[in-house]
Amino acid sequence: MLDYTQIASTPAEPEASSMIETFRAIGYSIETAVADIIDNSISAGAKNIWVDYDWKGPDTIFWVMDDGVGMAGDELIQAMRPGSISPLVERRKNDLGRFGLGLKTASFSQCRKFCLISKKDNSEVDFWSWDLDFVNQIKSWRLIKYCPEQAFFEEKLSQINSGTAVVWWDIDRLTKGTSVDSESSKSKFLETMDKVKKHLSMVFHRFLEDGLTIHFRDRKIKAWDPFMFGSEGLQPKPDTFLEQGNIRIKGFVLPHRSKISAEQYENGKGPKDSWTAHQGFYVYRNKRLLVAGDWLGLFKREVHYDLCRVLIDLPNNFDDDWQIDIKKSVARPPSKFKDQILSVAKEVRNQAVEVYRHKGKVLKRKLAVDDYSPFWEERVRHGKRFYRVNRAHPILEELLLKSGDLKKDIEKVIQFIEETIPVPLITLQESEDEKPHAQPFEGIDHISMKETMRKLYSSFLDKGFSPDRAKSRILNTEPYNFYPEYIEFLSDE
Ligand SMILES: Nc1ncnc2c1ncn2[C@@H]1O[C@H](COP(=O)(O)OP(=O)(O)O)[C@@H](O)[C@H]1O
Ligand SMILES: [Mg+2]
C-alpha cells in the first residue's frame, strides 16, 4: 500500500459538460430509457405510474409520474447527482437500481433538460433540474431551480400524498427538426410512443400482473406475457435451479399456431412484432425483465425455433456475475453456468422444433406419395464413385428449360461442380470433426429457399397439379423435405 501522505496530489475532476455528453452516448433507446425511469418509481413503492406527454413539436414535454415515497431537500439533490449510490452498495431485495446513474443517463440520452419534482408525505413540493445548456455555460455540475409547467405538476402532485415526476423537455433525440403542425412529425412521434407503451407492457409484465398500474395517457397498460401463460397447448418444462436455488431456468414450448386463435397468434409476436425476434432467453432480475428474446450468443435465431422461449430468473445480487449493464438491457451468463444453460435450452429447443414441424410432418405423411427428388445422386462411373447433380430436380429442370442459349454454359458449370466437388476433404472432415455437418440451409436465412419453394408451387399449379399434389412433390424434393413447416402456409400466401 502506498503512503499517500508522502505523495503530491492534484484535483482532476471530470469536466461537467463533456461528461454529460458522454452520458448521452450510452446507447439507450427511448423505450429502455423510459423503463429505467419507471424502475425508480417501482423501487420507491409506487402503486400507480403515469406516463404522459404534451406534443408540441420541438417543445414537447414528456413525463413519468408516480405515487411512490417521494423525495425532498438534500435527498432530491442527491438523487440528481450522477453516481448517487455506488454499485458496490448492497441493494434492498426489491430495489431495481444498479449504478446510481439511471435517472441521469436515461434522461440525458433523450433530452437536454429534465426536472425531478417530488413530494414526500405531508411536505412541500420540491424540484431541481439539470439543464445541459446551463452546464455548458458555467462548466460546472450545477442544478437549476426550475420546472417547466411548474403549476401543472404542483397541481398533479397535490392530488396524491407523495410522489415524484420526472419531466423531460428539449427532447432533441426525439423531436429535433419536427414541427407541431406537421402531421408526419406527429404520427412518427405517436408511433414512437406506441413502441414505448409496448415495451413497458413487456418489461414490467410481472409487476402489472401483480397489481401495479401504469397509465399511459388515459389508458392502463396491459401486461404482455411472453410465455402465454394459461393458453391451450403451452408446454412448460420443469424448473432447473442453479446457485443454491437462487437462479431458476425454465423452458417453454409455446403452442402451435393451429392451437391458438388468430388474435393470440398476433399477440404472440410481442413488441418486436415477430415470433422469430421473440425466441430465446428471457432474463429477469427480480420481477423486472432485462433481456427479452435473445439467445445470448449461444445459438442463432432460426424460424423453426419460433415456439421456444426460456425464462431465467435472477435475484439482484448477481449483477456483476451476469454483467448487467447500465441500460439494464444486457445480461451475459457467467461461463460456469454455460453448460447447464446450454443443456436446458437445447432440450427445449428440440421439443419446440417438434411442435413447430408437427403440422408439416402430418401433411408430409398424408401427402407423401411422390418419388424423392434429391439434388445430388450417387453414381458409379468406370468402377468409381461419383456424385452427380440431379438434372430432373424440379428447380434445375425449370432453369434448364428456361435457359435458352445459356443452356450449354449452365450444363458446363454443373459439370465443373460435379467434377471438382472435394469429396475426399469432406470425408476427412466429417470423420475428424466432432461438429455435425449442418443440414441444408441451416443457420442462414431462408428467404431464397422459401422463394423458390413458392415459385415451384405455383409452377406445379400451372402445370395442372392439385394443391395437395404440388405440396407432396415439394415435400419430396431436396432441400424442402428438411422444412415441412413451410408447406402449410403455401396456399395462404
Ligand atoms: N421516482 C423516484 N422516487 C423516489 N426516489 C427516486 C425516484 N427516482 C430516483 N430516486 C432516487 O434517486 C436515486 C438515483 O436514481 P438512479 O439515478 O436511477 O440510480 P439507481 O436507480 O441505480 O439508484 C435512487 O436510488 C432513488 O433514491
Ligand atoms: Mg434507477
Side-chain angles (χ1 to χ4, degrees), residues 362-371 472-473 475-476:
V362 170
L363 260 175
K364 189 169 170 177
R365 236 177 288 138
K366 208 173 87 191
L367 298 176
V369 287
D370 275 286
D371 284 340
S472 147
R473 279 296 313 262
L475 283 168
N476 281 291

Side-chain angles (χ1 to χ4, degrees), residues 68-73 75 118-126 160-164:
V69 289
M71 289 162 284
E75 225 181 336
S118 191
K119 181 178 106 167
K120 279 185 101 137
D121 222 355
N122 301 319
S123 72
E124 293 289 296
V125 170
D126 197 0
I160 48 180
N161 271 335
S162 66
T164 303

Side-chain angles (χ1 to χ4, degrees), residues 138-368:
I138 60 152
K139 307 254 177 277
S140 144
W141 297 98
R142 291 187 81 82
L143 300 163
I144 52 171
K145 196 79 185 174
Y146 176 82
C147 178
E149 309 294 339
Q150 183 181 335
F152 172 80
F153 287 107
E154 280 177 342
E155 200 322 273
K156 287 224 164 252
L157 286 169
S158 75
Q159 293 169 19
I160 48 180
N161 271 335
S162 66
T164 303
V166 176
V167 186
W168 292 351
W169 79 103
D170 196 352
I171 313 172
D172 58 340
R173 293 273 152 90
L174 193 62
T175 63
K176 201 173 178 178
T178 62
S179 110
V180 206
D181 310 317
S182 152
E183 272 310 308
S184 81
S185 293
K186 184 171 181 188
S187 71
K188 239 174 115 186
F189 175 79
L190 294 180
E191 233 171 72
T192 306
M193 288 299 114
D194 196 50
K195 269 197 215 150
V196 170
K197 185 169 150 189
K198 284 183 174 150
H199 185 74
L200 301 179
S201 74
M202 170 176 79
V203 166
F204 298 108
H205 79 93
R206 285 186 176 174
F207 293 99
L208 294 168
E209 286 153 8
D210 288 352
L212 171 74
T213 307
I214 303 180
H215 311 257
F216 200 94
R217 306 219 11 119
D218 46 5
R219 295 271 184 92
K220 290 180 184 172
I221 293 185
K222 271 204 264 171
W224 181 76
D225 166 20
F227 307 105
M228 300 179 87
F229 200 72
S231 60
E232 197 198 329
L234 175 73
Q235 296 180 29
K237 300 291 147 197
D239 290 334
T240 301
F241 289 102
L242 305 174
E243 201 83 344
Q244 290 90 47
N246 277 309
I247 298 174
R248 180 170 77 121
I249 312 177
K250 189 180 185 66
F252 290 85
V253 177
L254 273 71
H256 187 270
R257 187 177 171 174
S258 61
K259 290 268 199 286
I260 51 179
S261 67
E263 195 189 335
Q264 280 177 307
Y265 177 77
E266 278 307 306
N267 191 257
K269 289 183 180 171
K272 298 192 236 175
D273 201 25
S274 145
W275 278 85
T276 308
H278 271 291
Q279 54 178 263
F281 293 105
Y282 286 74
V283 183
Y284 293 80
R285 178 174 179 259
N286 293 337
K287 286 170 15 182
R288 206 282 205 187
L289 184 59
L290 301 176
V291 171
D294 190 306
W295 287 117
L296 303 174
L298 300 175
F299 308 98
K300 270 201 188 144
R301 286 181 204 286
E302 279 166 89
V303 69
H304 43 273
Y305 296 117
D306 271 4
L307 302 179
C308 188
R309 296 181 186 174
V310 185
L311 177 156
I312 300 181
D313 258 333
L314 305 176
N316 67 351
N317 52 349
F318 285 127
D319 290 350
D320 249 5
D321 276 7
W322 284 71
Q323 298 178 44
I324 310 294
D325 73 332
I326 292 187
K327 303 187 295 281
K328 286 179 264 184
S329 58
V330 178
R332 283 192 193 86
S335 51
K336 59 178 171 182
F337 299 141
K338 225 165 226 167
D339 286 344
Q340 274 161 295
I341 294 174
L342 268 173
S343 92
V344 172
K346 274 185 187 155
E347 200 177 322
V348 201
R349 277 164 59 95
N350 290 340
Q351 291 171 6
V353 178
E354 282 305 305
V355 174
Y356 190 81
R357 291 196 168 144
H358 178 70
K359 275 286 284 238
K361 279 193 174 156
V362 170
L363 260 175
K364 189 169 170 177
R365 236 177 288 138
K366 208 173 87 191
L367 298 176

Side-chain angles (χ1 to χ4, degrees), residues 113-143:
K113 293 155 201 214
F114 72 94
C115 178
L116 191 59
I117 176 165
S118 191
K119 181 178 106 167
K120 279 185 101 137
D121 222 355
N122 301 319
S123 72
E124 293 289 296
V125 170
D126 197 0
F127 57 85
W128 283 105
S129 285
W130 276 118
D131 180 329
L132 194 42
D133 292 332
F134 178 67
V135 172
N136 271 332
Q137 220 175 70
I138 60 152
K139 307 254 177 277
S140 144
W141 297 98
R142 291 187 81 82
L143 300 163

Side-chain angles (χ1 to χ4, degrees), residues 308-481:
C308 188
R309 296 181 186 174
V310 185
L311 177 156
I312 300 181
D313 258 333
L314 305 176
N316 67 351
N317 52 349
F318 285 127
D319 290 350
D320 249 5
D321 276 7
W322 284 71
Q323 298 178 44
I324 310 294
D325 73 332
I326 292 187
K327 303 187 295 281
K328 286 179 264 184
S329 58
V330 178
R332 283 192 193 86
S335 51
K336 59 178 171 182
F337 299 141
K338 225 165 226 167
D339 286 344
Q340 274 161 295
I341 294 174
L342 268 173
S343 92
V344 172
K346 274 185 187 155
E347 200 177 322
V348 201
R349 277 164 59 95
N350 290 340
Q351 291 171 6
V353 178
E354 282 305 305
V355 174
Y356 190 81
R357 291 196 168 144
H358 178 70
K359 275 286 284 238
K361 279 193 174 156
V362 170
L363 260 175
K364 189 169 170 177
R365 236 177 288 138
K366 208 173 87 191
L367 298 176
V369 287
D370 275 286
D371 284 340
Y372 181 55
S373 301
F375 203 85
W376 289 90
E377 292 170 324
E378 195 184 308
R379 290 287 169 85
V380 177
R381 190 173 64 183
H382 311 309
K384 285 189 175 154
R385 214 169 339 113
F386 166 73
Y387 291 95
R388 184 175 183 278
V389 170
N390 175 15
R391 305 292 192 284
H393 186 283
I395 293 288
L396 207 57
E397 198 173 47
E398 181 125 346
L399 175 71
L400 291 173
L401 205 70
K402 283 193 305 201
S403 57
D405 292 347
L406 282 176
K407 186 166 178 187
K408 279 217 167 71
D409 293 328
I410 295 175
E411 281 279 9
K412 265 185 221 142
V413 174
I414 294 173
Q415 197 187 9
F416 260 71
I417 295 171
E418 290 172 340
E419 294 300 327
T420 59
I421 186 161
V423 175
L425 186 67
I426 295 172
T427 321
L428 193 72
Q429 290 283 2
E430 277 291 285
S431 59
E432 281 187 353
D433 203 345
E434 289 167 23
K435 284 196 273 321
H437 191 74
Q439 74 177 34
F441 290 91
E442 184 175 336
I444 60 172
D445 83 50
H446 291 174
I447 294 170
S448 76
M449 183 185 48
K450 279 179 144 157
E451 220 174 74
T452 55
M453 189 193 251
R454 257 194 306 268
K455 269 202 192 131
L456 196 58
Y457 181 66
S458 54
S459 100
F460 282 149
L461 294 185
D462 289 346
K463 281 185 187 147
F465 285 26
S466 73
D468 273 3
R469 179 77 212 291
K471 285 179 188 171
S472 147
R473 279 296 313 262
I474 294 171
L475 283 168
N476 281 291
T477 299
E478 198 179 4
Y480 310 120
N481 57 317

